[in-house]
Amino acid sequence: MEPVYLFSLASQRNEWLSVRQAAISENIANANTPGFKAKDVTPFTAVFEDVSMPMVATHDGHMGGVGATTQSAEVKKEETWQVSYSGNSVSVEQEMVKATEVAEQHALTANILKSFHRMRLQAAK
């Protein structure tokens, strides 16, 4: 049986989400600090794409083996919504939207893990 890396991947994603939440919290805490520039972390997909895990076709009927081509999309970094006269680039509304995204992504990861755990328990029975 092949090892399952879903649990370690989910753990790494949750760790990334906690780092992003900390950056968002720091941005909100410094919303009134003159000259403070809003920060964000590298997207998880960019971190995940740096890891080399090519798919291998073990059967002629498999699609997307080593020789297959993939399409990629360019992700553009968003600018902040506003810059105040004090030079502060934190938009509390934008940071709250980011915090909501982090919470939704964490819930999604937890639900996927819960479903996978139930599936493994059913398989063991």
Side-chain angles (χ1 to χ4, degrees):
M1 182 172 172
E2 295 290 320
V4 179
Y5 297 106
L6 180 68
F7 294 114
S8 63
L9 177 64
S11 174
Q12 291 172 357
R13 180 164 173 83
N14 282 336
E15 186 175 327
W16 177 85
L17 287 169
S18 69
V19 169
R20 184 161 192 228
Q21 187 66 37
I24 293 167
S25 299
E26 182 180 356
N27 290 343
I28 293 172
N30 289 299
N32 292 326
T33 304
F36 184 81
K37 304 293 182 208
K39 301 174 187 173
D40 204 352
V41 295
T42 305
F44 186 73
T45 54
V47 174
F48 186 67
E49 287 173 356
D50 287 343
V51 178
S52 176
M53 292 180 17
M55 293 178 58
V56 178
T58 57
H59 189 272
D60 292 337
H62 289 172
M63 296 173 47
V66 174
T69 60
T70 59
Q71 296 178 343
S72 63
E74 185 176 324
V75 178
K76 295 181 181 178
K77 185 173 175 82
E78 294 183 40
E79 295 296 322
T80 58
W81 292 353
Q82 64 186 11
V83 176
S84 67
Y85 293 112
S86 66
N88 189 317
S89 66
V90 176
S91 168
V92 176
E93 294 86 4
Q94 186 179 18
E95 297 304 317
M96 295 306 291
V97 168
K98 288 180 188 178
T100 302
E101 289 173 0
V102 168
E104 289 172 351
Q105 292 173 357
H106 178 72
L108 175 66
T109 304
N111 287 335
I112 289 172
L113 278 177
K114 189 187 318 181
S115 297
F116 188 72
H117 181 67
R118 274 185 278 167
M119 181 181 70
R120 287 190 69 174
L121 287 176
Q122 289 294 327
K125 288 182 181 181

